Amino acid sequence: DVKVTQSSRYLVKRTGEKVFLECVQDMDHENMFWYRQDPGLGLRLIYFSYDVKMKEKGDIPEGYSVSREKKERFSLILESASTNQTSMYLCASSLSPQGLHEQFFGPGTRLTVL
Amino acid sequence: KQEVTQIPAALSVPEGENLVLNCSFTDSAIYNLQWFRQDPGKGLTSLLLIQSSQREQTSGRLNASLDKSSGRSTLYIAASQPGDSATYLCAVEDTDKLIFGTGTRLQVFP
């Protein structure tokens, strides 16, 4: 079975802290994605990656960075957390090429920044 | 810029009804369209993927159709059950990313 896991289901951090959200997939997928989901705004793409060491900005990359050192792992980094980054964060992966394969999602991490 | 709209935003029906969820998009140049289900506080579960060259896909009690020229997709759920209660999201793959609608929240009551 396809599996995408995220390191934490719930996370509480303080303003200014550096935060790492980890995502791991066991399907040998090339593509990985980070989204955030907010009421009334839906899912918005933060960053995505087509391959190891590759990264592309999504629609709302400000305040975030990513790291992909291994194919199976894609990390989202909040360099200095702020209260407006309180949200549900969802990781996804898919098999290349684009258009032919569905995206599979992890269970999500609900981050609260105080 | 691609925009995806889902109507209605919320729907409440008695068990056993057949129902239709609607999704519309503004730019017909899409690679595919995907329907997801999301339970409260959880991640997304992929239900159906329709390639741009396809007209429909079926999985069990679910049937999704795609009309690219009119920018519409429908998700048909037959004989609804309380376990179908969830938020249903559609998303179109546009160039290299998915663009999501804001979802339809479905409640099926016994």
Side-chain angles (χ1 to χ4, degrees):
Chain A
D1 239 5
V2 164
K3 198 165 183 183
V4 180
T5 57
Q6 295 183 229
S7 51
S8 304
R9 291 299 311 278
Y10 300 94
L11 209 52
V12 179
K13 296 292 182 181
R14 297 213 171 267
T15 301
E17 280 193 74
K18 190 169 186 176
V19 182
F20 293 86
L21 302 183
E22 304 287 340
C23 175
V24 178
Q25 51 94 2
D26 65 359
M27 298 160 285
D28 203 33
H29 284 174
E30 277 81 15
N31 306 324
M32 296 188 75
F33 307 83
W34 275 107
Y35 298 87
R36 64 178 282 176
Q37 185 177 29
D38 301 286
L41 297 176
L43 275 89
R44 294 177 292 167
L45 182 64
I46 305 171
Y47 267 97
F48 58 105
S49 168
Y50 291 133
D51 202 350
V52 176
K53 307 278 187 186
M54 304 281 291
K55 60 183 178 183
E56 297 284 341
K57 292 180 180 179
D59 297 318
I60 51 163
E62 296 79 19
Y64 303 94
S65 62
V66 290
S67 172
R68 193 163 181 203
E69 297 296 321
K70 294 185 178 180
K71 190 176 185 180
E72 67 270 19
R73 187 180 298 269
F74 192 34
S75 302
L76 180 70
I77 303 156
L78 287 66
E79 295 290 342
S80 178
S82 63
T83 55
N84 63 13
Q85 293 179 310
T86 292
S87 186
M88 171 72 114
Y89 289 88
L90 293 162
C91 174
S93 72
S94 71
L95 186 64
S96 237
Q98 263 69 7
L100 297 180
H101 301 281
E102 58 199 298
Q103 284 193 20
F104 295 93
F105 280 77
T109 295
R110 183 164 295 283
L111 172 67
T112 301
V113 183
L114 302 176
Chain B
K1 182 184 173 185
Q2 179 77 264
E3 292 182 4
V4 181
T5 304
Q6 291 186 247
I7 294 173
L11 187 61
S12 183
V13 300
E15 182 176 8
E17 274 205 9
N18 302 323
L19 51 97
V20 175
L21 307 182
N22 297 294
C23 173
S24 61
F25 47 95
T26 54
D27 186 344
S28 62
I30 63 171
Y31 288 115
N32 64 43
L33 185 142
Q34 200 167 348
W35 281 94
F36 295 89
R37 167 189 172 133
Q38 186 175 32
D39 293 289
K42 302 288 179 62
L44 279 64
T45 300
S46 178
L47 297 173
L48 290 164
L49 172 73
I50 311 177
Q51 302 292 348
S52 62
S53 58
Q54 298 174 324
R55 298 284 294 187
E56 65 178 332
Q57 283 288 332
T58 298
S59 175
R61 294 183 294 109
L62 305 179
N63 175 277
S65 67
L66 174 64
D67 183 344
K68 271 182 55 177
S69 61
S70 66
R72 292 183 183 178
S73 175
T74 60
L75 179 67
Y76 175 82
I77 303 176
S80 58
Q81 303 170 357
D84 294 329
S85 298
T87 296
Y88 291 80
L89 296 157
C90 73
V92 297
E93 183 153 3
D94 181 325
T95 57
D96 50 12
K97 57 188 181 183
L98 285 179
I99 312 295
F100 284 83
T102 50
T104 293
R105 185 180 301 171
L106 172 66
Q107 183 182 8
V108 181
F109 54 89

